[in-house]
mmCIF file of all heavy atoms in Angstrom:
data_model
loop_
_atom_site.group_PDB
_atom_site.id
_atom_site.type_symbol
_atom_site.label_atom_id
_atom_site.label_comp_id
_atom_site.label_asym_id
_atom_site.label_seq_id
_atom_site.Cartn_x
_atom_site.Cartn_y
_atom_site.Cartn_z
ATOM 1 N N ARG A 180 92.353 254.875 149.262
ATOM 2 C CA ARG A 180 93.539 254.793 148.549
ATOM 3 C C ARG A 180 93.533 253.676 147.501
ATOM 4 O O ARG A 180 92.664 252.840 147.549
ATOM 5 C CB ARG A 180 94.721 254.520 149.459
ATOM 6 C CG ARG A 180 94.714 253.193 150.212
ATOM 7 C CD ARG A 180 95.978 252.991 151.059
ATOM 8 N NE ARG A 180 96.119 253.956 152.134
ATOM 9 C CZ ARG A 180 96.929 255.028 152.204
ATOM 10 N NH1 ARG A 180 97.707 255.223 151.223
ATOM 11 N NH2 ARG A 180 97.005 255.807 153.148
ATOM 12 N N PRO A 181 94.326 253.626 146.442
ATOM 13 C CA PRO A 181 94.357 252.598 145.497
ATOM 14 C C PRO A 181 94.702 251.296 146.145
ATOM 15 O O PRO A 181 95.583 251.312 147.093
ATOM 16 C CB PRO A 181 95.354 253.223 144.477
ATOM 17 C CG PRO A 181 96.119 254.200 145.144
ATOM 18 C CD PRO A 181 95.410 254.619 146.191
ATOM 19 N N ALA A 182 94.231 250.303 145.633
ATOM 20 C CA ALA A 182 94.620 248.954 146.226
ATOM 21 C C ALA A 182 94.449 247.828 145.018
ATOM 22 O O ALA A 182 93.611 247.967 144.251
ATOM 23 C CB ALA A 182 93.814 248.535 147.400
ATOM 24 N N LEU A 183 95.380 246.830 145.091
ATOM 25 C CA LEU A 183 95.297 245.796 144.155
ATOM 26 C C LEU A 183 94.547 244.568 144.745
ATOM 27 O O LEU A 183 94.801 244.202 145.793
ATOM 28 C CB LEU A 183 96.834 245.365 143.869
ATOM 29 C CG LEU A 183 96.890 244.159 143.013
ATOM 30 C CD1 LEU A 183 96.366 244.352 141.508
ATOM 31 C CD2 LEU A 183 98.300 243.638 143.009
ATOM 32 N N VAL A 184 93.489 244.205 143.985
ATOM 33 C CA VAL A 184 92.772 242.948 144.368
ATOM 34 C C VAL A 184 93.600 241.729 144.053
ATOM 35 O O VAL A 184 93.968 241.568 143.038
ATOM 36 C CB VAL A 184 91.458 242.913 143.597
ATOM 37 C CG1 VAL A 184 90.612 241.765 144.024
ATOM 38 C CG2 VAL A 184 90.636 244.302 143.768
ATOM 39 N N VAL A 185 93.785 240.987 145.212
ATOM 40 C CA VAL A 185 94.543 239.626 145.135
ATOM 41 C C VAL A 185 93.539 238.410 145.173
ATOM 42 O O VAL A 185 93.886 237.405 144.857
ATOM 43 C CB VAL A 185 95.618 239.573 146.085
ATOM 44 C CG1 VAL A 185 96.813 240.614 145.811
ATOM 45 C CG2 VAL A 185 95.142 239.721 147.651
ATOM 46 N N ALA A 186 92.293 238.763 145.673
ATOM 47 C CA ALA A 186 91.242 237.722 145.762
ATOM 48 C C ALA A 186 90.009 238.372 146.132
ATOM 49 O O ALA A 186 89.913 239.584 146.659
ATOM 50 C CB ALA A 186 91.626 236.617 146.829
ATOM 51 N N ALA A 187 88.881 237.636 145.906
ATOM 52 C CA ALA A 187 87.593 238.419 146.199
ATOM 53 C C ALA A 187 86.468 237.344 146.442
ATOM 54 O O ALA A 187 86.639 236.089 146.045
ATOM 55 C CB ALA A 187 87.181 239.258 144.908
ATOM 56 N N SER A 188 85.442 237.863 147.032
ATOM 57 C CA SER A 188 84.178 237.145 147.307
ATOM 58 C C SER A 188 82.941 237.918 146.813
ATOM 59 O O SER A 188 83.282 239.046 146.396
ATOM 60 C CB SER A 188 84.106 236.583 148.790
ATOM 61 O OG SER A 188 83.772 237.693 149.536
ATOM 62 N N SER A 189 81.894 237.445 147.082
ATOM 63 C CA SER A 189 80.753 238.186 146.704
ATOM 64 C C SER A 189 80.444 239.333 147.780
ATOM 65 O O SER A 189 79.693 240.251 147.352
ATOM 66 C CB SER A 189 79.436 237.330 146.643
ATOM 67 O OG SER A 189 79.282 236.630 147.898
ATOM 68 N N GLU A 190 81.103 239.314 148.866
ATOM 69 C CA GLU A 190 80.854 240.361 149.878
ATOM 70 C C GLU A 190 82.205 241.210 150.141
ATOM 71 O O GLU A 190 82.059 242.288 150.586
ATOM 72 C CB GLU A 190 80.450 239.827 151.163
ATOM 73 C CG GLU A 190 79.195 239.167 151.204
ATOM 74 C CD GLU A 190 79.216 237.571 150.761
ATOM 75 O OE1 GLU A 190 80.289 236.930 151.095
ATOM 76 O OE2 GLU A 190 78.372 237.003 150.186
ATOM 77 N N GLU A 191 83.345 240.550 149.899
ATOM 78 C CA GLU A 191 84.716 241.333 150.313
ATOM 79 C C GLU A 191 85.602 241.192 149.261
ATOM 80 O O GLU A 191 85.604 240.409 148.384
ATOM 81 C CB GLU A 191 85.028 240.733 151.534
ATOM 82 C CG GLU A 191 84.200 240.772 152.738
ATOM 83 C CD GLU A 191 84.736 240.076 153.833
ATOM 84 O OE1 GLU A 191 85.091 238.794 153.794
ATOM 85 O OE2 GLU A 191 84.884 240.610 154.901
ATOM 86 N N LEU A 192 86.642 242.041 149.357
ATOM 87 C CA LEU A 192 87.870 242.133 148.580
ATOM 88 C C LEU A 192 89.076 241.768 149.433
ATOM 89 O O LEU A 192 89.049 242.292 150.692
ATOM 90 C CB LEU A 192 88.144 243.422 147.833
ATOM 91 C CG LEU A 192 87.078 243.914 146.862
ATOM 92 C CD1 LEU A 192 87.512 245.325 146.358
ATOM 93 C CD2 LEU A 192 86.876 242.842 145.698
ATOM 94 N N LEU A 193 89.992 241.062 148.988
ATOM 95 C CA LEU A 193 91.297 240.955 149.656
ATOM 96 C C LEU A 193 92.324 241.729 148.861
ATOM 97 O O LEU A 193 92.499 241.477 147.687
ATOM 98 C CB LEU A 193 91.727 239.467 149.751
ATOM 99 C CG LEU A 193 92.951 239.173 150.688
ATOM 100 C CD1 LEU A 193 92.838 239.654 152.086
ATOM 101 C CD2 LEU A 193 93.375 237.696 150.508
ATOM 102 N N VAL A 194 92.888 242.798 149.420
ATOM 103 C CA VAL A 194 93.700 243.681 148.518
ATOM 104 C C VAL A 194 95.016 243.981 149.292
ATOM 105 O O VAL A 194 95.240 243.692 150.474
ATOM 106 C CB VAL A 194 92.885 245.157 148.469
ATOM 107 C CG1 VAL A 194 91.572 244.971 147.783
ATOM 108 C CG2 VAL A 194 92.709 245.880 149.855
ATOM 109 N N ARG A 195 95.966 244.505 148.425
ATOM 110 C CA ARG A 195 97.236 245.037 148.891
ATOM 111 C C ARG A 195 97.143 246.474 148.693
ATOM 112 O O ARG A 195 97.151 246.915 147.514
ATOM 113 C CB ARG A 195 98.370 244.339 148.082
ATOM 114 C CG ARG A 195 98.549 242.771 148.504
ATOM 115 C CD ARG A 195 99.654 242.181 147.739
ATOM 116 N NE ARG A 195 100.908 242.881 148.050
ATOM 117 C CZ ARG A 195 101.984 242.500 147.256
ATOM 118 N NH1 ARG A 195 102.003 241.545 146.411
ATOM 119 N NH2 ARG A 195 103.218 243.159 147.616
ATOM 120 N N PRO A 196 97.061 247.278 149.839
ATOM 121 C CA PRO A 196 97.013 248.722 149.564
ATOM 122 C C PRO A 196 98.297 249.272 148.918
ATOM 123 O O PRO A 196 99.287 248.740 149.069
ATOM 124 C CB PRO A 196 96.888 249.262 151.026
ATOM 125 C CG PRO A 196 96.442 248.018 151.859
ATOM 126 C CD PRO A 196 96.965 246.803 151.073
ATOM 127 N N ILE A 197 98.050 250.348 148.176
ATOM 128 C CA ILE A 197 99.177 251.086 147.596
ATOM 129 C C ILE A 197 99.277 252.479 148.150
ATOM 130 O O ILE A 197 98.294 253.234 148.377
ATOM 131 C CB ILE A 197 98.801 251.294 146.013
ATOM 132 C CG1 ILE A 197 98.667 249.848 145.390
ATOM 133 C CG2 ILE A 197 99.876 252.135 145.279
ATOM 134 C CD1 ILE A 197 98.160 249.875 144.009
ATOM 135 N N TYR A 198 100.593 252.794 148.591
ATOM 136 C CA TYR A 198 100.937 254.018 149.340
ATOM 137 C C TYR A 198 101.852 254.923 148.549
ATOM 138 O O TYR A 198 102.603 254.393 147.708
ATOM 139 C CB TYR A 198 101.557 253.573 150.597
ATOM 140 C CG TYR A 198 100.615 252.858 151.527
ATOM 141 C CD1 TYR A 198 100.591 251.326 151.443
ATOM 142 C CD2 TYR A 198 99.702 253.404 152.417
ATOM 143 C CE1 TYR A 198 99.724 250.589 152.294
ATOM 144 C CE2 TYR A 198 99.021 252.788 153.305
ATOM 145 C CZ TYR A 198 98.965 251.347 153.164
ATOM 146 O OH TYR A 198 98.186 250.588 153.967
ATOM 147 N N SER A 199 101.878 256.099 149.055
ATOM 148 C CA SER A 199 102.899 257.075 148.414
ATOM 149 C C SER A 199 104.199 257.123 149.109
ATOM 150 O O SER A 199 105.186 257.662 148.523
ATOM 151 C CB SER A 199 102.295 258.489 148.375
ATOM 152 O OG SER A 199 101.873 258.908 149.733
ATOM 153 N N ASN A 200 104.247 256.557 150.353
ATOM 154 C CA ASN A 200 105.450 256.479 151.047
ATOM 155 C C ASN A 200 106.134 255.047 151.171
ATOM 156 O O ASN A 200 105.354 253.973 151.320
ATOM 157 C CB ASN A 200 105.156 256.951 152.456
ATOM 158 C CG ASN A 200 104.805 258.407 152.401
ATOM 159 O OD1 ASN A 200 105.252 259.238 151.728
ATOM 160 N ND2 ASN A 200 103.761 258.739 153.311
ATOM 161 N N GLN A 201 107.483 255.009 151.067
ATOM 162 C CA GLN A 201 108.108 253.751 151.209
ATOM 163 C C GLN A 201 108.163 253.264 152.597
ATOM 164 O O GLN A 201 108.065 254.072 153.609
ATOM 165 C CB GLN A 201 109.421 253.809 150.595
ATOM 166 C CG GLN A 201 110.193 252.635 150.280
ATOM 167 C CD GLN A 201 111.407 252.876 149.633
ATOM 168 O OE1 GLN A 201 111.965 254.008 149.471
ATOM 169 N NE2 GLN A 201 112.056 251.862 148.975
ATOM 170 N N SER A 202 108.228 251.996 152.912
ATOM 171 C CA SER A 202 108.396 251.555 154.171
ATOM 172 C C SER A 202 109.106 250.115 154.026
ATOM 173 O O SER A 202 109.084 249.551 152.905
ATOM 174 C CB SER A 202 107.087 251.283 154.978
ATOM 175 O OG SER A 202 106.456 250.142 154.777
ATOM 176 N N PRO A 203 109.573 249.486 155.075
ATOM 177 C CA PRO A 203 110.172 248.125 154.875
ATOM 178 C C PRO A 203 109.269 246.975 154.400
ATOM 179 O O PRO A 203 109.677 246.115 153.892
ATOM 180 C CB PRO A 203 110.552 247.741 156.363
ATOM 181 C CG PRO A 203 110.819 249.099 156.976
ATOM 182 C CD PRO A 203 109.708 249.940 156.445
ATOM 183 N N THR A 204 107.930 247.238 154.545
ATOM 184 C CA THR A 204 106.896 246.222 154.097
ATOM 185 C C THR A 204 106.371 246.544 152.748
ATOM 186 O O THR A 204 105.408 245.820 152.276
ATOM 187 C CB THR A 204 105.780 246.017 155.133
ATOM 188 O OG1 THR A 204 105.033 247.367 155.091
ATOM 189 C CG2 THR A 204 106.274 245.780 156.478
ATOM 190 N N ARG A 205 107.009 247.514 152.105
ATOM 191 C CA ARG A 205 106.535 247.896 150.751
ATOM 192 C C ARG A 205 107.519 247.915 149.711
ATOM 193 O O ARG A 205 108.651 248.164 150.096
ATOM 194 C CB ARG A 205 105.874 249.311 150.882
ATOM 195 C CG ARG A 205 104.754 249.471 151.877
ATOM 196 C CD ARG A 205 104.283 250.824 152.060
ATOM 197 N NE ARG A 205 103.354 251.017 153.150
ATOM 198 C CZ ARG A 205 103.218 252.123 153.732
ATOM 199 N NH1 ARG A 205 103.702 253.299 153.458
ATOM 200 N NH2 ARG A 205 102.209 252.000 154.826
ATOM 201 N N SER A 206 107.055 247.565 148.501
ATOM 202 C CA SER A 206 107.953 247.619 147.400
ATOM 203 C C SER A 206 107.460 248.539 146.181
ATOM 204 O O SER A 206 106.254 248.770 146.322
ATOM 205 C CB SER A 206 108.187 246.146 146.782
ATOM 206 O OG SER A 206 106.927 245.641 146.487
ATOM 207 N N VAL A 207 108.260 248.884 145.413
ATOM 208 C CA VAL A 207 107.732 249.821 144.201
ATOM 209 C C VAL A 207 106.621 249.215 143.524
ATOM 210 O O VAL A 207 106.790 248.031 143.144
ATOM 211 C CB VAL A 207 108.996 250.272 143.311
ATOM 212 C CG1 VAL A 207 108.396 251.028 142.188
ATOM 213 C CG2 VAL A 207 109.995 251.101 144.105
ATOM 214 N N PHE A 208 105.533 249.851 143.254
ATOM 215 C CA PHE A 208 104.465 249.361 142.420
ATOM 216 C C PHE A 208 104.765 249.787 141.155
ATOM 217 O O PHE A 208 104.609 250.965 140.623
ATOM 218 C CB PHE A 208 103.119 249.924 142.918
ATOM 219 C CG PHE A 208 101.922 249.491 142.216
ATOM 220 C CD1 PHE A 208 101.584 248.137 142.066
ATOM 221 C CD2 PHE A 208 101.095 250.390 141.529
ATOM 222 C CE1 PHE A 208 100.546 247.701 141.424
ATOM 223 C CE2 PHE A 208 100.031 249.940 140.767
ATOM 224 C CZ PHE A 208 99.867 248.545 140.652
#
Side-chain angles (χ1 to χ4, degrees):
R180 66 176 64 255
L183 173 66
V184 178
V185 296
S188 72
S189 58
E190 298 88 28
E191 300 174 303
L192 300 174
L193 185 63
V194 302
R195 289 179 63 186
I197 299 169
Y198 297 88
S199 57
N200 297 317
Q201 195 171 17
S202 87
T204 64
R205 299 175 189 160
S206 55
V207 174
F208 181 60

